[in-house]
Amino acid sequence: MKTNEQLLKDLLQQFIDKSGRQRLYDERRSLSLWAEVVEPLVAQNTQCKDIKNGVLKVKVTNAALRFELLARKSEIIRQLNDRLGVEVVKDVIFR
């Protein structure tokens, strides 16, 4: 027998599927996954601002960290998409 939590999860997934909002849902999930994909120090010094059309915008506190993140950009994109289970993030802009 399913728990209330599982029933609610199933109901939400059905709503997302029927409303055609899966892409939007996945994009929003990518924002919350940022802190899980990068190291804690990076997470503390960055903030995911937005994602639109697969382009994630991240605010970075200093230039040295921005340079490091630019060098790791493709790895970060791959890790985010792996966690999502679908290719959602196509690019990351560090500002």
Side-chain angles (χ1 to χ4, degrees):
M1 184 168 190
K2 290 186 177 185
T3 65
N4 286 342
E5 183 179 328
Q6 185 60 44
L7 289 171
L8 182 59
K9 186 177 179 180
D10 292 347
L11 213 102
L12 284 172
Q13 187 60 51
Q14 287 175 12
F15 171 76
I16 290 168
D17 292 343
K18 287 182 181 180
S19 67
R21 304 273 186 195
Q22 186 66 47
R23 179 90 178 159
L24 179 63
Y25 175 73
D26 290 338
E27 284 185 341
R28 294 298 161 212
R29 277 187 51 222
S30 71
L31 295 176
S32 63
L33 287 174
W34 174 260
E36 295 177 26
V37 169
V38 297
E39 295 81 19
L41 184 61
V42 173
Q44 291 173 1
N45 290 287
T46 58
Q47 182 181 15
C48 286
K49 296 301 243 175
D50 191 28
I51 183 167
K52 190 171 186 178
N53 298 322
V55 179
L56 180 63
K57 295 176 185 162
V58 179
K59 182 179 178 184
V60 183
T61 58
N62 66 61
L65 180 57
R66 182 177 177 273
F67 182 75
E68 179 186 334
L69 291 171
L70 282 169
R72 295 183 41 220
K73 181 163 61 169
S74 60
E75 174 190 345
I76 292 169
I77 291 170
R78 182 188 53 76
Q79 288 177 344
L80 283 168
N81 288 330
D82 285 351
R83 287 281 183 103
L84 291 165
V86 63
E87 186 179 330
V88 174
V89 181
K90 295 179 179 151
D91 194 12
V92 181
I93 297 174
F94 300 106
R95 297 183 180 187

